[in-house]
Amino acid sequence: MDKVKSDIGVLGLGVMGAMLALNFAGNGFNVALFNRTASKAQQLKDDNPDLTQRLFAHETVERFVAGLARPRVILLMVNAGSAVDEQLAVLRDLLDEGDIIIDAGNTDFNDTRARNARFDGTGIHFVGMGVSGGEQGARHGPSIMVGGDPAIWTRLRPLLEPISAKYNGSPCVAWLGRDGAGHFVKTVHNGIEYADMQMIAEIYAILRDGVGFDASRIARIFESWNQRGLSSYLIEITAAVLAESDAATGKPLVDLIVDEAGQKGTGRWSVIEAQKLGVGATTLEAAVAARSMSAQREERARASEIYAGLQAVNGRFASDGEGIAELEAALETAKIIAYAQGYEVMAAASVEFGWDLPMAEIARIWRAGCIIRSVFLQDIMAAYGDAGHQGNLLAHPAFAARVQKGQAALRSVVARAVTAGIPVPALSAALAYFDDLRRARGVANLVQGQRDYFGAHTFRMLDRDGVHHHQWASAEAEAV
Ligand code: 6PG
């Protein structure tokens, strides 16, 4: 039996779990380790001699639990879904009042809400926590989005702040709201991540297929953009991915990678929830759809033969400094619109689930550690910290001015891409969202007329109160 009781236990030693365990140990905490394949715990300890004094490997879950200081804190890092429920069922019988179980995986927040409810009244506290930053983030400082009982946050804070990423010394971890709030915000983070990655890929398509630049030339362009307003982790790694050569052939590695994007599901969940909330997150939706389209590789190959005769009008993109600057401005503008959509989804969920999500705080903890970390989030934090601002980010004066200025570039780039036959679903969705948002008189009046014609679904009118159903003469004639 361990004489030393561990401060925290990590159950599930896959990449993220192992890295978080090392992060805790590196920050001076004693860490109990357990994995279904028990040898992994000892292996992690053996592979990290510099931290071995802080790592306590256990061969059974019972010894793992017994090795924890009380009240216990256990961090679960297992695959989302049934694996979480399996572990919760085992742990529930081993834990006591006051103990905490944290699910730190990419879990569907609906599951977290249900699990939270199941633990209500048991004395054991269940916490859903989003962790962003990938392997390196988990090891050296992720962005952490905590949900659950606010009283538990005071107990977790001393454990989580030291291991979190820091932005100018500010720990990128916060309690965001009860039950599923932490996992929901992580899910929207991933929806924004998908949109950001897709829009970058669309600019890459224009430079590759429209302008005709090779990967190393495009890498240099993204590198230069990383020095200015677009400075972010995703732009930084885009330049790195484009600059990398394949050792076996010497060719740009990116040119040899199969163009089929994977998706574990979190981005998709964000747009499903947006739809359920009635929020148009069109750029996030376009990014998820683009991944699904990319997976239809055989179908695309067949279609490319069928439509081979359709010569896209290339060369419509200037390759000079002005043309490249226009692409930069277009991407920056579309990024603002995509993030505004993500925040609209969170704002709607905040009301729906009674979370009162702290929008400025979310931007604050996204400034470092997470995949969408960027200079830009400082501006969002300032906008939502502005007491005078409520509602859509695009209605904030600072962002309205930026989009007002950049929308011409986005419009020009989308128009040229469409003319050149280069698909830009996310960039064009961002532009359409902006144009729809700023249009005081839309076209849903016709949709309401259509709905009333075939379904008597009624409509409201500009010049009179109440709801109306019209006696459509032709409809009646047709019905005869
Ligand atoms: C993060 C990432 C990460 C992501 C996985 C799978 O915030 O660290 O978003 O959690 O979900 O890398 O990504 P895909 O959804 O693209 O498969």
Side-chain angles (χ1 to χ4, degrees):
M1 183 68 76
D2 294 320
K3 292 184 182 52
V4 174
K5 294 294 184 185
S6 293
D7 305 298
I8 186 163
V10 177
L11 195 163
L13 299 173
V15 170
M16 292 296 284
M19 292 301 112
L20 283 172
L22 296 179
N23 189 342
F24 278 114
N27 277 284
F29 296 104
N30 291 323
V31 187
L33 307 171
F34 181 70
N35 192 80
R36 195 157 49 178
T37 310
S39 60
K40 263 193 167 184
Q42 187 58 46
Q43 190 62 54
L44 185 65
K45 185 178 169 65
D46 296 344
D47 292 347
N48 294 276
D50 56 323
L51 295 171
T52 191
Q53 300 302 319
R54 297 282 182 193
L55 297 171
F56 298 83
H58 296 277
E59 291 190 354
T60 67
V61 68
E62 291 78 6
R63 288 189 190 145
F64 166 75
V65 170
L68 291 169
R70 298 174 65 164
R72 306 179 186 94
V73 180
I74 291 174
L75 186 142
L76 267 187
M77 190 54 99
V78 297
N79 289 336
S82 58
V84 174
D85 290 317
E86 284 160 24
Q87 294 304 332
L88 291 177
V90 170
L91 290 171
R92 192 163 182 160
D93 299 334
L94 299 172
L95 298 184
D96 301 301
E97 184 148 352
D99 291 349
I100 300 172
I101 306 176
I102 303 169
D103 172 14
N106 271 333
T107 290
D108 182 330
F109 88 105
N110 293 292
D111 293 345
T112 302
R113 281 166 54 81
R115 289 170 183 145
N116 203 272
R118 282 207 297 274
F119 275 93
D120 269 353
T122 65
I124 298 170
H125 304 283
F126 181 76
V127 171
M129 185 171 90
V131 178
S132 178
E135 179 177 358
Q136 289 308 309
R139 177 66 185 85
H140 300 291
S143 170
I144 306 174
M145 295 146 262
V146 182
D149 181 343
I152 299 306
W153 166 235
T154 48
R155 284 181 51 198
L156 293 179
R157 193 168 186 167
L159 280 167
L160 297 176
E161 285 188 338
I163 71 155
S164 70
K166 306 296 184 295
Y167 183 90
N168 293 344
S170 167
C172 293
V173 55
W175 176 83
L176 300 177
R178 292 184 174 279
D179 57 63
H183 275 143
F184 187 90
V185 171
K186 174 58 168 63
T187 299
V188 174
H189 164 279
N190 279 36
I192 292 171
E193 173 190 302
Y194 278 40
D196 217 335
M197 293 166 72
Q198 176 62 25
M199 294 188 292
I200 289 170
E202 290 173 13
I203 294 292
Y204 158 68
I206 289 169
L207 288 164
R208 183 190 71 180
D209 304 337
V211 179
F213 284 169
D214 65 17
S216 59
R217 180 82 184 272
I218 300 170
R220 290 197 297 277
I221 289 171
F222 278 106
E223 236 163 64
S224 68
W225 291 354
N226 196 40
Q227 310 311 312
R228 294 192 285 273
L230 279 170
S231 174
S232 66
Y233 174 70
L234 284 174
I235 293 287
E236 176 194 337
I237 69 167
T238 295
V241 168
L242 287 163
E244 192 74 4
S245 296
D246 169 50
T249 62
K251 292 177 182 173
L253 179 60
V254 70
D255 291 349
L256 298 172
I257 294 175
V258 171
D259 60 324
E260 277 188 50
Q263 47 181 328
K264 291 186 181 145
T266 44
R268 181 186 302 134
W269 294 342
S270 72
V271 299
I272 289 170
E273 295 308 326
Q275 293 281 358
K276 285 158 70 175
L277 290 161
V279 175
T282 54
T283 307
L284 281 61
E285 290 164 2
V288 175
R291 291 204 183 188
S292 303
M293 283 287 283
S294 76
Q296 294 168 277
R297 194 155 170 263
E298 286 173 20
E299 189 173 345
R300 290 190 289 112
R302 274 199 302 279
S304 70
E305 287 163 16
I306 295 165
Y307 296 100
L310 268 182
Q311 288 310 319
V313 182
N314 276 338
R316 285 207 163 242
F317 291 93
S319 60
D320 62 6
E322 195 179 314
I324 302 303
E326 187 179 70
L327 292 174
E328 181 180 12
L331 183 55
E332 270 197 86
T333 306
K335 179 170 178 173
I336 293 171
I337 296 167
Y339 278 64
Q341 292 177 14
Y343 264 85
E344 285 302 286
V345 177
M346 290 192 287
S350 189
V351 172
E352 176 73 15
F353 301 109
W355 288 329
D356 192 20
L357 290 176
M359 299 302 180
E361 188 70 343
I362 291 168
R364 182 186 71 76
I365 66 172
W366 280 353
R367 291 179 298 173
C370 66
I371 300 295
I372 64 170
R373 60 184 182 266
S374 67
V375 167
F376 174 61
L377 282 154
Q378 183 68 29
D379 303 339
I380 294 184
M381 180 183 152
Y384 279 112
D386 175 353
H389 178 62
Q390 291 296 325
N392 199 310
L393 209 51
L394 298 180
H396 187 277
F399 283 106
R402 287 168 69 170
V403 174
Q404 189 98 24
K405 180 166 173 278
Q407 60 85 32
L410 177 57
R411 196 174 305 281
S412 166
V413 166
V414 168
R416 292 165 192 258
V418 167
T419 307
I422 297 172
V424 287
L427 292 172
S428 53
L431 178 62
Y433 177 92
F434 171 68
D435 285 341
D436 204 1
L437 185 72
R438 69 187 180 87
R439 177 172 59 175
R441 178 76 171 147
V443 294
N445 52 319
L446 178 58
V447 172
Q448 286 295 80
Q450 294 162 336
R451 292 179 68 245
D452 191 62
Y453 186 105
F454 61 67
H457 293 297
T458 73
F459 49 78
R460 290 184 296 114
M461 296 182 76
L462 294 173
D463 61 353
R464 69 203 77 165
D465 292 337
V467 289
H468 305 270
H469 167 56
H470 181 68
Q471 298 306 321
W472 303 93
S474 43
E476 283 168 15
E478 277 170 19
V480 170

